[in-house]
Structure formats: C-alpha cells, structure tokens
C-alpha cells in the first residue's frame, strides 16, 4: 500500500518544483492551485556557438559570440539584460541594440503592462540578434518564492539569479552582462541581493556614451525621470486634478456613480464620452428620438483642460457627471492649429522678450485659445438658452491609454539652448507633445513619427520621444507614408511565410478541378472594369433560354481556392482586411501573384470562379438562384467606355454585345425596382461645376452595379438561411433623425422640405422633388448625414438590425470582390460550405470568431477610406502647385462658429474659410446662419471660391471671391506667385 | 462497521490478554499504536493531512469556500464534514455499505467542531449576514484497521490546524454587494485557532476493561463502545454510544475518567504536532513532508 507513495517520492528525484498560487473564481471562491514544475536542463543560453549548452534549434541562438563594442564607457564585450520597465520605456532605443537577453519572466511582466510593446519586442526576437531565455523553466535559473517574501522580492531575486547564471556561463567567452534598468529602486535592490559588484546601466548612461554611429538613438531616449515626484518637478507648468485610485473607480462604476467609456475628442481640450446609463436606456426604449433636447442624450461633454484631465483620443476613461449648473454646450468651433496660424505672440518680438520660456509662450497661446472658446460657449449658452445645455463631466481616471505612434512636425523652441521642443501632430485631435532632443536642427522641415510616453500631472502637455524621420514634409512620398502610419495600415512587403503559401509558378489549374467544377467555358462571359484595372474579380453573362427566360450569371474570382483558411497568407489577409487604394499606389490585401494574376479574371484563359446563376423572366423577376464553383473563360475584358460603345452601337449578331444588351435591359428594370423599393441615390462627390453628376458611361456602370448588388443580396439570403448563427452580413443602420439636423437646417434656410424620418423611400422622393441646381449638392450633404455601413455577424447582432438602409435591402453582404476585401473571402468560404462543396470548418463556423473578423474589417475599411481620402487630397493640392489662384464654384456645406466649411466639386475638395479674429459677424446657431454685414451665409449657398496653394505650409487656401466680403475676400500676400 | 471474523478461541485469548493488561500486539490498555502524518497529501486543498495509526489510514483535506452564514447564527462561519468510506478500506463499504458509518462519523464531528463551541466560529465570519468562510472538510478512509473515528478526529484537528484561510484584502462591488476579495499571495493567510477543539477517544469494552486505540480484532470482541470528545485540558465535551450493548453508570464513569486522561494527552500531542507542521510549512524547503505521530 505504500508503493504509490514511494512512486511519488521517486518522481521528486527529477528536478521538480511545486508552484502554488491562489485564485478567486467568479463566484468569489478562493482556489488554491498547485502545479508541479519540471525544470529543464536543456535550455540553451542563446549564444551562437556555445558548446556548453544543448540546443535543440541552433537557428534560435542569435547572440553573437564576439559582440561589437559600441559604448565608450562599457568598452568590453557585453550582452544586455533589460528589466521590464526598461523595455516599456525605451522600446525605441532597444530596437536598435544588439545582443539583448530577454527573460521570460521579464517579458511576462511587459505583457501585463503593455501588450502592444510586448508584441513588438516579441517580433524583434525573430529577426534580431536577441535571445528569449526561458528562465522560469531552466533548472539553473528557477527561483521559487520563499515564505514571507513578496512577489516583487522574488522577481528581483529571480532576475539576479539569471544575471549570475549568465555572468558565470559567459565568463569563458570573455563576455559580461550588463543589467539595463532606469529604475533606481530596482538597481539598488539588485545590488543588495547580489551583494555589490553588479554591472548596471541606465538608458541615458549607456546611450550617451555610445559611438557616433548611434547618434540617432539619443533622440529616441525616453528621458522622463523614473521617479514620479521628480517627473512632476521636471515639468511644472500646469496642475491637473489627480486621477482616482483604480479600486475606487471600479466601485464607482459598478454602483453607477461614475461612467466608463472611450474618449472622443473634437480637439485636445474638448470632447465627449458616449455612455450607457438608465437615462439613455429609457430614451432608447421610447422609440425614435424626436425631441431636440435628447440629441446628446448619452454623450457626456468634456470641456477644458482640467475636465479632460489628460485624456487623449481613444483612451478608455472614467468620468463623473458634474452638477447641473456647470453643464455647458459644445463650442462648435473649428480650431486652427498654432503652427498654421500667425500667433500674435510669436510674431510680436516685444512680448517674447518678457516671456521666460517657450512653455510660457505655449501656455499663453493655449490660454487664449481656451478663453476664446469659453467666451464663445458662454455667449451661446446665453443665446440658445439654458435648455440646450448638455450633460457635462470630468475625467477622474484613465483605464487604458491608446497612445499609438503619431505623425507630425517639431517646431523649434524659441528659447535659446533648451532641449525641450514641441511636436505638433498632424491629427488635430491629439495634443502637442513635448520632445526632448539635443539637436533639433535635423528635424527642421521633416515629418517625423513620435510616441507619447507619459503625461505627468504637472505638465500641460504629454511628454514623448521621437521614433523616426519619415522624410521632408510636403513631398508625396513622405506624406503617403505619414498617412499609412497615421491610419495604422499594414503596408510592409509580404513576409516569407506568406510567400511560402503562394502556389508554385508556373501554375496551371489542377486537372481534378475540371471534373469537380461546373463548366462555363462555352458561355460568353465578359468583364467590365475601369481602365487599367489588373485585379478583375467579377465577370457577367446573359443568355436567352429556349423558354423565353433569361439565364444571368455573375462570376466571381475564386480567391478562396488560393487562400486556404488558417495559414500565414490567410492570417495576413485577415489582418489587412482590405486592399487600400491611394492616389498613386495600391496596398494589396493578398500578394499580387494571386490578386493580379492567378485569380484575376483576364480574358482568354481558364479561370476558377464562384458563380451565381439566376433564371429570370424578361421583367427581371428571379425564378431560380443557384451557386456553383465553376471554371470559365472570359471572352472579353472591357472598360466601361468600351462596354458603353458596344451598347450604343447599332450592330447586331455579335454575341458579346447581345449579352451586354440583355444585361443592360434587365439592369434597368432592376434599378427601377430598387428605387421604387426606396433605395437611396447617394453621391460621394462626383458633382460637376453645374452641380450635376457627371457620368458618360452611366449605363455600363449601372449594368455592373445592379448585378453585383443582386448577387450580394442573393448570397446574403442564402447564407443566412443556411447559417443563422455565423453568416457575415453588411448592415447599414437607419441614421437617427439627429444626424439629419444639418440637412434640415439647410433645407429650412432654402425654404424646402426634406422628409427624413419616414424611411429611405420618402427621403429619396423628397430629394428628387428639389430643384435641379440643388439636387446634387443636397445628395452630397445627405450622404454626409448617413451612418456608416458595417459588417456584422448574424449570430451576434439582433435580426432587426440586419437591413441595409441605403440600399433598402433586407439582407446584404459582400460577395463580389474577394480579391480586395476579406469579408468577401469569408462569405465565399461560408457559401462553399453551404452548397456542400467544402467540408464544414470549425474555424469558419464560429460566431465569436466571425464577430471578431467583422469588427476588424470594419476598422480596416474605415481606416482605408480615411487614408485614401487623405491621399487624394494631397494629390489634389499638388495639382495646384505653382499655379495662380483658380476660381471655382463651391458650396457651403456647414456653417461653423468661426468658419465656413466649403466644398469645391471640381476637385471634390473640402476646406474651411476662417473668419479673422477681429471680424464682426453674427452667428445664429439656431438657424445655422452667419451674417457678416449685409451678407448672410447658410448651408448649401453657392459661392465662388479661389483655390491656391500656400507654398511654405503646403496647404490649400480657400478664399471667398463671391459674394465679396471685406476681410474674407482680400488677397492674401502669400498666395500669389 | 468493518468487522472481521474471529474464532471463539482467538477471542478468548484476546479478552484474557486484555484482562492481564497485555494486548495481542504487546501494548497496555491505554497505549496507542505507532503512526505518522504526511503533510500536503492533496496539493490543491487549503491544507491536507494523511494520517496513519496502526493499519488505519485516512486522508483529510480542507477547502475554503465563500458562503452565506446560517440565518440562526448570522455572525459565524461554518465547517462542513464529508466522509467517504472507500471500498478499498473494507469490503463492507462496497456499494452503500459505508454510508451509515460515514453519516455517523459526520454527526460526531459536527457535534465536536461545529456545535461544541470549542472553536470560535466568529473568526470565520467576514461580513455578518452576508459572507463567511465555509470550510469543507473532506475525509477519505483509505484503510480501516480499527479505531477509525479517533484517527479521523485527530486528522481533522490537525488538518483544521493547518488550514489556510486566505486573507480578505477588500470588498468588490461588481458582483452584487461587497464580495470579499481574497489575497492571491500564497503566503498571506490566517490559521484557525483549534487549540481547544476536542479529539474523539473511543473506548470499546473488551471483556471487563475499556481499551484505547483498539485494533480491528479487538473491536470484533466488543459489543459496543463509547466515544468521548475530549479537550486538551481533559474536559469531556460529548459522549456517544456506538454499537450494541448497555453500560452501567459506574462503568461509564470509569470510562469517562479514562477518556479524560488519555484524551488530554492525545489532544496535547496533536496540538504540538500542529505547531510543528506550521513551522514545517514556513521552511523554504518544506521537506520532509512526513513526521511520526508519536502519541
């Protein structure tokens, strides 16, 4: 009977340690968890060429046996052993250092504190001469916690143990180990445990003594004092209220006293947090909101530096609602950034002499700006009355920071000899950032990327450091990379792992596919695309059947054949989510070999397709819908213009033309049906000078569009019928009436009536009734009022939210562009399973995963749109370069407190006409009007606008030419050449 | 109760031996058998003991849980017992055979611990009426070699003595009202004060004499037995009669006197063992995990 026990003791002869810890489960039950840890003796030190260690995979040993000596102070061969604080603070420095030992325990700590940085460093291990040492599993470095020892003490002891191990282990190579830590307390503790004689260095100490080759690193140092008190002392120009303790915050949130939400900023001292509470829930239940007072029913306004209290765009914050007498209204002001406006203080040298530091200048400027806003707000409160005031709050804690690298420029400090300078982000929602650098001159005129490190309580602006120079500001190359950076668009070349997933070239269709797939090669299929299109993902055919019916087919490139789920290629495509089209380049979602070659439906070759085949009556009623995986051979790849020419020609008997004609006839009927159903005709910006939509090839455009829409609808219906839980749909929420407020104001000003709250059909009809000269610009404005269409997973969205408002479709999805959208690829996979040509895959049939994918592609889509818009704007501004001011027709889109937001259809460009500070004007918020002297400005007013490029600042200037208003129509000196 | 069959001759020999104060294995009537204690028999429990005395072998494990106090005693925590008589211990326990005995042992233990007042259960209360510690004591009988109840009671006392009550660090409001948050630090816990809690001394009457720590053979020679709960200062907290047979008042008095002295001795030894087990746990390397019982 003791044999079991003896067996147990026998096990202990192997290096085993017992690790015990406590947990508390959801119900509050305390659990004691005890695990046996089998320690390994075969973990390699990571030195390339170390004979003492047993290494299973030599390629992971990347530490150089003869490391280069880069430091003047530490002029011996050494490796770097950073602690967690160092990794998080000095990530950008660490990136450029070689021979770094990353301990598993340290990296786990980094993971807990900052996941983004963890991922970044973890990726670095794959390529750099770093090593990731599994110290918690190695017999030589494992440290179990002693009784009466705190976790921190154990961790430090563990760290020292690793230091000892490496020092001893590497002694025979003549390599020493230096502990990198900025934390003085930690350094002291290490010395105490080790008993003196430890090689320690802080980032500053090390980097400043490095050879000239590493000069760049000095500017990337994060130089905020580690100690909070010292940090407070170093930056003393403002006092923010302290953030509350996290326990208090959590308790407050649960009890409903405080609210949590993501901070959305208008500018850096004004923004709002959208919250959910009883009041908003009650509002939501009472149906569509009609009362104007409910406008901001669940948005809590945050105004002023103290109330915003160091929150930045996107941060998850905790807020407290202020008492009602402190409620305010949004200022509705457009901020002009200081770098772009001629600040009276900067211009005025006399004032400058009295100002001691740059910070003071800055402070004065901001004070002015802030005061301006509050004066405006106070005035508005008076004008619109107490009723319209919004719930206002203040930030009392920040739960999670969303500090991503930001692009912008550094402005040299006006004070001589200071190393503090200000970084002005391109994104006006972000605050300025203090950057400490010793040679600011090299940043002159350069666009750089910077990272916010911290926001000390005593500093008006956050403190950060520079990461890299993108290039001289204003060049297309620099601006494009800034755009990609800013929107977080993955644009690196495809990795080796991804390329390994590509098919071997030369590639031909596997003969077995011919047997499996439906053969469409004999049918006259053709594609219609914009000129120069290399990634053709759709083709069409139409033929008359013997019984008088039509057979119409939409053939979509079968990308899912090339991108199999769950490999590196699929992961990368999922991450990218969409192909991004910029003005001068395209950032592919999948490698060009597939997107422009193998999958693309070029004419004259056999191609794999996923087809949707309808049988229709001549009046375009669908009798039957079928889906096939097929093989086709496109007879012609046309441009829209070519297709239009064929449609317009008188020839008969040509099968391609006949097919097109058939498609066109059916498309016209479908289109009419769609609009009768209430689909909206929306317009982004294709409006010509006369305010009319330009389209020479309207027929061929709409031909393709109608059938793509139809295919998408059919697929959406079919997949949802098969997979209730995990279909991917595209929904377009009904915009709340509040969204239409600017439209309503504009309509009222022009004495017309737009019906916004009776569904899309009524809206469309009321738009249709308007006079021709207003119709197009009204559509532009209506489009602005819409909400975004979103992807969603049917299992995680309530069914009444499925419909697509703009298209007036009950169900909609994306099926037709798998080459450039990941959503379509997922839909293809779902459909393939639904028609039983693919086996069910648990990774695809998973509503939670699908939900995650939908969220990601929504984000990627939005970012791609922003990036594309930004890129086009830059290119448009380039066309103005070196030219005299051009005169164009423009329209007022919105009336702002201190500016007119105008739209120039010729370039589809938008901009602001700012009113000078000293100008006398009357802003009527209620009617959305501004009166200057005798001229009144309202939304939708037609103007004549002068466009020119301000050379130095590389910015398009909008100038009001007609109606002429003194102060706005004066010719600025800088705009002429 | 697990029983073995003895022939009349064997019984006679055994009974006469007890009369002479020499038992079959050479002990006197008030001697205990040799035994030992293993610490941490169940690693995921909050304190566990494996105790062996002679051939009797039991494992006792405690799990600390969060519960609501009994409405009758809103300011006290609870200790719950669950005995499992494994069929490996005795063929009699097969099927539902062990249930009756298990129930009986549970009753004796809850009288001794949960109701006797020798442990201050107020220490187990976290917030009155709302939250208290509930200690689940699981007892597994591995081998039944006589004197089972005494061994269980000793093991339970040892086990409660080393049971770790995770310290409450605060209250959390996201799950209803003020759920206690326990420390996740493996060394931040409190011990329960079990110094005064009783151990059970079972005295079967073999012939005309009561014996302590009877072996299975001796138990089969006795019709009934008396079980006493005894505190370290010799105070008898409970008397139970197990099995058949009846006793005269005089012999009950004699048994009580005997239980009082023997019990006090045993209980003090157990208290000493608790202290040394607690010390053992504090050592950086808590090995050996075993120590003799030595009563």
């Amino acid at each position: 009977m003791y044999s079991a026990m003896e067996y147990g003791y026998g096990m202990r002869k192997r290096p085993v340690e017992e690790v015990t810890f406590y947990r508390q489960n959801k119900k509050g039950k305390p659990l004691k968890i005890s695990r046996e840890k089998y320690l390994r003796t075969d973990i390699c030190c990571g030195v390339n060429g170390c004979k003492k260690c047993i290494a299973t995979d030599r390629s992971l040993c990347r530490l150089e046996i003869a490391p280069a000596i880069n430091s003047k102070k530490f002029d011996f061969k050494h490796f770097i052993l950073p602690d967690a604080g160092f990794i998080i603070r000095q990530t950008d420095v660490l990136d450029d250092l070689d021979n770094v030992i990353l301990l598993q325990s340290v990296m786990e700590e980094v993971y807990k504190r900052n996941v983004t940085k963890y991922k970044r460093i973890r990726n670095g291990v794959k390529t750099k001469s770093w090593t990731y040492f599994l110290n918690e599993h190695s017999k030589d470095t494992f440290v179990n916690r002693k009784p009466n020892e705190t976790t921190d003490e154990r961790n430090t002891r563990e760290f020292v143990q690793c230091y000892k191990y490496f020092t001893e282990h590497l002694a025979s190579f003549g390599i020493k180990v230096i502990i990198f830590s900025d934390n003085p307390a930690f350094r002291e503790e290490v010395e105490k445990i080790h008993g003196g004689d430890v090689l320690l260095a802080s980032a500053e100490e090390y980097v400043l003594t490095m050879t000239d080759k590493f000069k760049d690193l000095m500017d990337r140092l994060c130089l905020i004092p580690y100690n909070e008190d010292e940090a407070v002392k170093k930056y003393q120009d403002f006092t923010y209220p302290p953030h509350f303790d996290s326990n208090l915050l959590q308790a407050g949130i649960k009890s409903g006293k405080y609210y949590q939400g993501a901070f959305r900023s208008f500018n850096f001292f004004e923004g709002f947090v959208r919250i959910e509470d009883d009041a908003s829930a009650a509002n939501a239940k009472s149906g569509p909101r009609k009362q104007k007072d409910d406008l901001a029913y669940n948005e809590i306004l945050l105004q002023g530096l103290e109330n915003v209290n160091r929150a930045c765009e996107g941060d998850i914050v905790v807020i407290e609602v202020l008492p009602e007498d402190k409620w305010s209204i949004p200022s509705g002001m457009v901020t002009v950034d200081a770098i772009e406006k001629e600040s009276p203080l900067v211009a005025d040298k006399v004032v400058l002499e009295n100002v001691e530091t740059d910070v003071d200048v800055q402070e004065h400027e901001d004070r002015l700006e802030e005061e301006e806003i509050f004066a405006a707000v106070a005035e508005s409160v008076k004008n619109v009355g107490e009723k319209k005031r919004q719930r206002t709050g203040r930030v009392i804690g920040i739960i999670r920071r969303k500090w991503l690298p930001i692009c912008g420029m550094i402005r040299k400090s006006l004070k001589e000899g200071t190393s503090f300078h200000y970084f002005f982000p391109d994104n006006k929602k972000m605050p300025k950032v203090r950057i400490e650098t010793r040679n600011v001159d090299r940043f002159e005129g350069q666009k750089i990327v910077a990272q916010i490190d911290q926001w000390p309580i005593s500093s008006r602006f956050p403190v950060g450091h520079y990461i890299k120079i993108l290039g001289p500001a204003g060049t297309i190359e620099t601006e494009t990379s800034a755009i990609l950076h800013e929107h977080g668009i993955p644009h690196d070349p495809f990795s080796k792992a991804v390329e390994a997933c590509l098919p071997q070239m030369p590639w031909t269709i596997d003969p077995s596919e011919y047997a499996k797939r439906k053969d469409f090669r004999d049918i006259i299929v053709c594609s219609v695309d914009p000129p120069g299109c290399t990634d053709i993902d759709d083709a069409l055919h139409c033929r008359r059947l013997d019984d008088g019916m039509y057979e119409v087919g939409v053939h979509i490139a079968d990308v899912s054949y090339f991108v199999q789920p769950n490999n590196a290629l699929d992961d990368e495509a999922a991450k990218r989510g969409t192909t991004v089209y910029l003005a001068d380049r395209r950032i592919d979602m999948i490698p060009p070999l597939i997107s422009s070659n193998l999958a693309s439906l070029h004419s004259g070759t056999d191609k794999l397709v996923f087809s949707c085949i309808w049988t229709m009556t001549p009046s375009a009623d669908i009798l039957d819908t079928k889906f096939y995986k097929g093989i086709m051979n496109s007879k012609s790849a046309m441009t829209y213009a070519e297709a239009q020419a064929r449609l317009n020609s008188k020839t008969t008997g040509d099968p391609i033309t006949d097919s097109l004609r058939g498609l066109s006839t059916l498309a016209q009927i479908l289109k009419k049906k769609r609009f009768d159903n209430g689909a909206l005709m929306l317009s982004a910006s294709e409006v010509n000078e006369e305010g009319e939509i330009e389209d020479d090839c309207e027929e061929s455009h709409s031909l393709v569009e109608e059938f793509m829409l139809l295919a998408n609808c059919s697929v959406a219906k079919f997949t949802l019928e098969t997979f209730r839980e995990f279909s991917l749909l595209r929904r377009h929420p009904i915009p709340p009436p509040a969204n239409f407020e600017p439209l309503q104001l504009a309509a009222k000003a022009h004495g017309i009536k737009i019906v916004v709250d009776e569904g899309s059909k009524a809206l469309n009809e009321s738009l249709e009734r308007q006079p021709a000269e207003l119709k197009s610009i009204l559509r532009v404005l209506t489009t602005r009022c819409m909400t975004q269409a979103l992807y969603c997973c049917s299992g995680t969205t309530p069914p009444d939210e499925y419909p697509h408002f703009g298209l007036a479709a009950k169900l909609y999805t994306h099926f037709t562009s798998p080459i450039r959208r990941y959503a379509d690829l997922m839909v293809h996979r779902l459909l393939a399973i639904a028609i039983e040509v693919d086996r069910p895959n648990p990774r695809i049939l998973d509503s939670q995963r699908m939900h995650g994918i939908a969220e990601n592609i929504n984000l990627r889509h939005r970012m791609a749109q922003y990036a594309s818009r930004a890129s086009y704007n830059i290119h448009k501004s380039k066309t103005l370069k070196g030219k005299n001011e051009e005169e164009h027709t423009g329209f007022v889109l919105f009336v702002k407190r201190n500016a007119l937001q105008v739209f120039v259809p010729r370039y589809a460009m938008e901009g602001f006409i700012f009113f000078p500070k000293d100008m006398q004007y009357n802003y009527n918020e209620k009617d959305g009007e501004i009166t200057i002297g005798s001229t009144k400005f309202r939304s939708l007013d037609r103007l004549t606008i002068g466009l020119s490029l301000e050379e130095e600042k590389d910015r398009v200037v909008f100038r009001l030419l007609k109606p002429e208003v003194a102060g706005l129509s004066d010719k600025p000196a800088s705009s002429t050449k | 109760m697990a029983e073995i069959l003895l022939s009349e001759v064997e019984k006679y020999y055994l009974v006469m031996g007890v009369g002479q104060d020499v038992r079959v294995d050479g002990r006197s009537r008030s001697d205990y058998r040799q035994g030992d204690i293993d610490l941490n028999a169940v690693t995921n429990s909050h304190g566990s003991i494996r105790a062996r005395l002679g051939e009797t072998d039991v494992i006792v494990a405690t799990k600390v849980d969060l519960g609501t106090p009994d409405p009758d005693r809103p300011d006290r925590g609870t200790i719950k017992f669950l005995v499992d008589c494994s069929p490996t211990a005795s063929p009699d326990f097969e099927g539902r055979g062990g249930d009756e005995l298990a129930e009986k042992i549970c009753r004796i233990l809850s009288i001794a611990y949960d109701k006797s007042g020798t442990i201050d259960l107020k220490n187990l209360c976290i917030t009155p009426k709302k939250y208290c510690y509930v200690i689940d004591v699981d007892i597994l009988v591995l081998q039944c070699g006589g004197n089972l109840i005494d061994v269980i009671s000793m093991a339970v006392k040892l086990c409660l003595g080393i049971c770790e009550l995770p310290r409450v660090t605060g209250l959390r409001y996201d799950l209803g009202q003020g759920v206690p948050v326990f420390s996740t630090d493996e060394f931040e816990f409190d011990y329960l004060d079990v110094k005064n809690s009783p151990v059970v001394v079972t005295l079967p009457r073999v012939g005309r004499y009561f014996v302590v720590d009877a072996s299975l053979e001796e138990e089969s020679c006795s019709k009934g037995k008396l079980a006493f709960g005894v505190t370290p200062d010799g105070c008898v907290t409970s008397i139970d009669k197990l099995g058949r047979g009846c006793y005269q008042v005089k012999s009950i008095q004699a048994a009580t006197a005997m239980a009082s002295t023997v019990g006090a001795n045993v209980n003090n030894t157990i208290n000493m063992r608790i202290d040394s087990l607690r010390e053992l746990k504090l050592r950086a390397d808590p090995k050996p995990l075993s120590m003799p019982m030595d009563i």
Side-chain angles (χ1 to χ4, degrees), chain A residues 903-922:
Chain A
F903 176 74
V904 178
R906 174 76 179 80
Y907 289 106
M909 226 171 2
E910 257 184 72
F912 293 100
I913 297 174
F914 290 106
F915 304 141
K917 281 209 186 80
D918 47 1
M919 190 158 157
Q920 291 293 318
Y921 59 88
N922 188 5

Short mmCIF file of all heavy atoms in Angstrom, two decimals, chain A residues 903-922:
data_model
loop_
_atom_site.label_atom_id
_atom_site.label_comp_id
_atom_site.label_asym_id
_atom_site.label_seq_id
_atom_site.Cartn_x
_atom_site.Cartn_y
_atom_site.Cartn_z
N PHE A 903 -17.22 73.23 -50.01
CA PHE A 903 -16.99 72.07 -50.85
C PHE A 903 -16.82 72.55 -52.28
O PHE A 903 -17.63 73.31 -52.78
CB PHE A 903 -18.21 71.14 -50.72
CG PHE A 903 -18.14 69.94 -51.61
CD1 PHE A 903 -17.28 68.89 -51.30
CD2 PHE A 903 -18.94 69.84 -52.73
CE1 PHE A 903 -17.22 67.78 -52.10
CE2 PHE A 903 -18.89 68.73 -53.55
CZ PHE A 903 -18.01 67.69 -53.22
N VAL A 904 -15.72 72.11 -52.90
CA VAL A 904 -15.49 72.51 -54.30
C VAL A 904 -15.61 71.27 -55.17
O VAL A 904 -14.76 70.39 -55.14
CB VAL A 904 -14.09 73.16 -54.45
CG1 VAL A 904 -13.84 73.52 -55.90
CG2 VAL A 904 -13.98 74.37 -53.57
N PRO A 905 -16.69 71.18 -55.95
CA PRO A 905 -16.93 69.94 -56.71
C PRO A 905 -15.86 69.65 -57.76
O PRO A 905 -15.57 68.50 -58.01
CB PRO A 905 -18.28 70.21 -57.41
CG PRO A 905 -18.87 71.35 -56.69
CD PRO A 905 -17.77 72.16 -56.13
N ARG A 906 -15.25 70.68 -58.31
CA ARG A 906 -14.27 70.47 -59.37
C ARG A 906 -13.16 69.52 -58.92
O ARG A 906 -12.75 68.63 -59.63
CB ARG A 906 -13.66 71.83 -59.76
CG ARG A 906 -12.53 71.77 -60.75
CD ARG A 906 -13.07 71.52 -62.17
NE ARG A 906 -11.99 71.49 -63.14
CZ ARG A 906 -11.20 70.42 -63.35
NH1 ARG A 906 -11.40 69.34 -62.65
NH2 ARG A 906 -10.23 70.47 -64.23
N TYR A 907 -12.68 69.73 -57.70
CA TYR A 907 -11.64 68.86 -57.17
C TYR A 907 -12.19 67.91 -56.11
O TYR A 907 -11.43 67.20 -55.47
CB TYR A 907 -10.52 69.70 -56.54
CG TYR A 907 -9.70 70.43 -57.55
CD1 TYR A 907 -9.82 71.80 -57.71
CD2 TYR A 907 -8.78 69.75 -58.35
CE1 TYR A 907 -9.06 72.48 -58.64
CE2 TYR A 907 -8.02 70.43 -59.28
CZ TYR A 907 -8.17 71.79 -59.44
OH TYR A 907 -7.42 72.46 -60.37
N ALA A 908 -13.49 67.95 -55.88
CA ALA A 908 -14.10 67.21 -54.78
C ALA A 908 -13.35 67.49 -53.49
O ALA A 908 -12.96 66.60 -52.75
CB ALA A 908 -14.14 65.72 -55.07
N MET A 909 -13.06 68.73 -53.28
CA MET A 909 -12.24 69.12 -52.14
C MET A 909 -13.04 69.90 -51.12
O MET A 909 -13.96 70.62 -51.45
CB MET A 909 -11.07 69.97 -52.63
CG MET A 909 -9.81 69.50 -52.00
SD MET A 909 -8.28 70.17 -52.58
CE MET A 909 -8.53 71.32 -53.76
N GLU A 910 -12.65 69.71 -49.90
CA GLU A 910 -13.33 70.39 -48.81
C GLU A 910 -12.36 71.24 -48.04
O GLU A 910 -11.19 70.89 -47.92
CB GLU A 910 -13.85 69.35 -47.84
CG GLU A 910 -15.31 69.10 -47.94
CD GLU A 910 -15.69 68.14 -46.87
OE1 GLU A 910 -15.72 68.56 -45.70
OE2 GLU A 910 -15.93 66.98 -47.21
N GLY A 911 -12.83 72.33 -47.50
CA GLY A 911 -11.92 73.11 -46.68
C GLY A 911 -12.69 74.15 -45.90
O GLY A 911 -13.94 74.17 -45.91
N PHE A 912 -11.96 74.97 -45.18
CA PHE A 912 -12.59 75.96 -44.34
C PHE A 912 -12.22 77.36 -44.79
O PHE A 912 -11.10 77.60 -45.23
CB PHE A 912 -12.13 75.79 -42.89
CG PHE A 912 -12.61 74.51 -42.28
CD1 PHE A 912 -11.76 73.41 -42.18
CD2 PHE A 912 -13.90 74.39 -41.80
CE1 PHE A 912 -12.19 72.23 -41.64
CE2 PHE A 912 -14.34 73.21 -41.25
CZ PHE A 912 -13.49 72.13 -41.17
N ILE A 913 -13.18 78.25 -44.68
CA ILE A 913 -12.85 79.67 -44.82
C ILE A 913 -12.98 80.25 -43.42
O ILE A 913 -14.08 80.32 -42.87
CB ILE A 913 -13.81 80.37 -45.79
CG1 ILE A 913 -13.67 79.76 -47.18
CG2 ILE A 913 -13.53 81.87 -45.81
CD1 ILE A 913 -14.67 80.28 -48.18
N PHE A 914 -11.84 80.56 -42.83
CA PHE A 914 -11.86 81.05 -41.45
C PHE A 914 -12.16 82.54 -41.42
O PHE A 914 -11.75 83.29 -42.33
CB PHE A 914 -10.50 80.81 -40.79
CG PHE A 914 -10.24 79.35 -40.53
CD1 PHE A 914 -9.34 78.64 -41.31
CD2 PHE A 914 -10.90 78.70 -39.50
CE1 PHE A 914 -9.11 77.30 -41.07
CE2 PHE A 914 -10.68 77.37 -39.27
CZ PHE A 914 -9.78 76.67 -40.05
N PHE A 915 -12.83 82.96 -40.37
CA PHE A 915 -13.07 84.39 -40.18
C PHE A 915 -11.95 84.94 -39.32
O PHE A 915 -11.62 84.35 -38.29
CB PHE A 915 -14.41 84.64 -39.49
CG PHE A 915 -15.58 84.02 -40.21
CD1 PHE A 915 -16.61 83.43 -39.50
CD2 PHE A 915 -15.64 84.04 -41.60
CE1 PHE A 915 -17.68 82.84 -40.15
CE2 PHE A 915 -16.72 83.46 -42.25
CZ PHE A 915 -17.73 82.86 -41.53
N PRO A 916 -11.39 86.04 -39.72
CA PRO A 916 -10.34 86.64 -38.87
C PRO A 916 -10.92 86.99 -37.50
O PRO A 916 -12.12 87.22 -37.35
CB PRO A 916 -9.96 87.91 -39.63
CG PRO A 916 -10.48 87.72 -41.01
CD PRO A 916 -11.64 86.80 -40.94
N LYS A 917 -10.00 86.99 -36.51
CA LYS A 917 -10.45 87.20 -35.13
C LYS A 917 -11.16 88.53 -34.91
O LYS A 917 -12.12 88.61 -34.15
CB LYS A 917 -9.24 87.15 -34.19
CG LYS A 917 -8.81 85.74 -33.92
CD LYS A 917 -8.16 85.63 -32.57
CE LYS A 917 -7.60 84.24 -32.39
NZ LYS A 917 -6.31 84.07 -33.07
N ASP A 918 -10.65 89.54 -35.61
CA ASP A 918 -11.18 90.88 -35.33
C ASP A 918 -12.44 91.18 -36.15
O ASP A 918 -12.96 92.28 -36.12
CB ASP A 918 -10.09 91.93 -35.60
CG ASP A 918 -9.41 91.68 -36.93
OD1 ASP A 918 -9.80 90.69 -37.61
OD2 ASP A 918 -8.50 92.44 -37.29
N MET A 919 -12.91 90.21 -36.86
CA MET A 919 -14.04 90.46 -37.75
C MET A 919 -15.35 90.48 -36.97
O MET A 919 -15.53 89.73 -36.02
CB MET A 919 -14.09 89.33 -38.76
CG MET A 919 -15.03 89.61 -39.86
SD MET A 919 -14.51 88.57 -41.20
CE MET A 919 -15.97 88.48 -42.08
N GLN A 920 -16.23 91.36 -37.41
CA GLN A 920 -17.54 91.45 -36.76
C GLN A 920 -18.53 90.58 -37.52
O GLN A 920 -18.73 90.77 -38.71
CB GLN A 920 -18.02 92.91 -36.77
CG GLN A 920 -17.22 93.83 -35.88
CD GLN A 920 -17.39 93.50 -34.41
OE1 GLN A 920 -18.49 93.22 -33.96
NE2 GLN A 920 -16.28 93.52 -33.66
N TYR A 921 -19.08 89.60 -36.85
CA TYR A 921 -20.11 88.81 -37.52
C TYR A 921 -21.10 88.28 -36.51
O TYR A 921 -20.83 88.26 -35.31
CB TYR A 921 -19.51 87.68 -38.35
CG TYR A 921 -18.68 86.69 -37.57
CD1 TYR A 921 -19.27 85.58 -36.96
CD2 TYR A 921 -17.31 86.86 -37.47
CE1 TYR A 921 -18.51 84.68 -36.26
CE2 TYR A 921 -16.54 85.96 -36.77
CZ TYR A 921 -17.14 84.87 -36.16
OH TYR A 921 -16.38 83.98 -35.48
N ASN A 922 -22.17 87.85 -37.00
CA ASN A 922 -23.25 87.41 -36.12
C ASN A 922 -23.57 85.94 -36.42
O ASN A 922 -23.98 85.60 -37.53
CB ASN A 922 -24.46 88.31 -36.37
CG ASN A 922 -25.54 88.03 -35.34
OD1 ASN A 922 -25.32 87.25 -34.40
ND2 ASN A 922 -26.69 88.64 -35.52
#
